Amino acid sequence: MKTIPIIQIGVGGVGRALTQQLLAHGDALAARYGIRFEYVGLADSTGLRARRLGLSVSEITTALAEKAVGQPLSPAGAFGMGWRSFILPQRGIFIDVTAAGGHEQALAERVATGHRVVLANKKPLSADFSAFQALTKGGGTRYEATVGAGLPVISTLQSLLDSGDTLTRIEAAMSGTLGYLCTELEAGKLLSAAVREAHRLGYTEPDPRDDLSGADVARKALILARTCGLPWEPVQIQAEPWFPAALGDVSLDEFMARLEELDAPFAARVAEAQAAGGALRYVATISAEGASVGLRVLPGDHPLASLRGPDNLFSFTTARYAERPLVVRGPGAGYAVTAAGVLADLVATARELRA
Ligand SMILES: NC(=O)c1ccc[n+]([C@@H]2O[C@H](COP(=O)([O-])OP(=O)(O)OC[C@H]3O[C@@H](n4cnc5c(N)ncnc54)[C@H](OP(=O)(O)O)[C@@H]3O)[C@@H](O)[C@H]2O)c1
């Protein structure tokens, strides 16, 4: 039996689902692959709870229960040390399931010393290209869940490229929140009402502008482009925001109060799309020539036009899939499916470490 030490950074919705899946599935993985994951650390924004020889199941479940009711892992710094200064007893895996920026250098240092990284966090891969290179060098980082949550998007793209196919274009709708809003608009809802409802249901970030800016889609597009070998920097992908610049600087309360200002322009765009027999979608298009991320009117028979609600769709047009693109479609968000994407990456990484 090979024991693989793991440190999980982030114990939020995805992080807790991942830990629960690993605890539930650990014996099956041990039986199937002769691999046992050992949690040596769990970290949140307050600090690290760690034990070099492995946290016990009761220590892990206690930590999960505390995080579920909003308690910090390290009240008043009681556990002192952060994950950056923790030394793993042997080669292991750092899992980043936070949404935090600034982890790329520390994670790349772990890769450089023989450890592996698994990410649901997009930010380490969408900073400078040099950080992406350092993280992914020698296959040191897996990141399936960063794009399309649990859908096999990155692995599909990598398999196409590894087998000698060449990419012509990726077209994708990869924001569940913006997909939901497009469907509501199509059903006749005003944008202001749709955004308030999505906010109330927790479909948007606490500040809906984080979704409506398109920045999250631009990060995913950058990760896809870099996976194709394009050495792009973040400035090379500009997303079209759903609101004018003037509403970007006001307080959240003022933004929510002024949402009605967006109703007429969006109603006009939807009416125009419907009059042409098409559909309005928030689309990312990536090719070697460049990327665009924004609202597009698509013909009614376009695969993306048939999308409903928060589902994602990724269409890969390649030399081999030239006439009919290869399509990956399904739920692109949710704690359980995202955690499952991370867990699949963990298992693949552990099998490599065992070998
Ligand atoms: N939710 C989805 O459906 C989905 C789908 C695909 C990808 N993702 C990605 O998965 C990641 C996690 O999403 P989530 O929904 O689980 O977020 P979340 O519920 O907000 O949890 C984030 C966790 O990260 C911790 N954290 C924040 N900053 C940190 C730092 N600097 N150092 C250590 N820990 C830190 C937070 O600590 P505290 O508890 O102390 O605040 C919290 O435990 C995000 O990058 C997200 O984009 C999510």
Side-chain angles (χ1 to χ4, degrees), residues 101 136 201 226 301 312 324:
T136 55
L201 291 170
R226 288 174 168 181
D301 59 356
N312 284 191
R324 280 182 300 124

Side-chain angles (χ1 to χ4, degrees), residues 9-14 44-45 67 97-100 103 120-122 145 333-335 338:
I9 312 152
V11 196
V14 174
D44 67 2
S45 64
K67 288 306 298 175
V97 280
T98 73
H103 288 180
N121 184 5
K122 292 170 274 293
Y335 295 149
T338 306

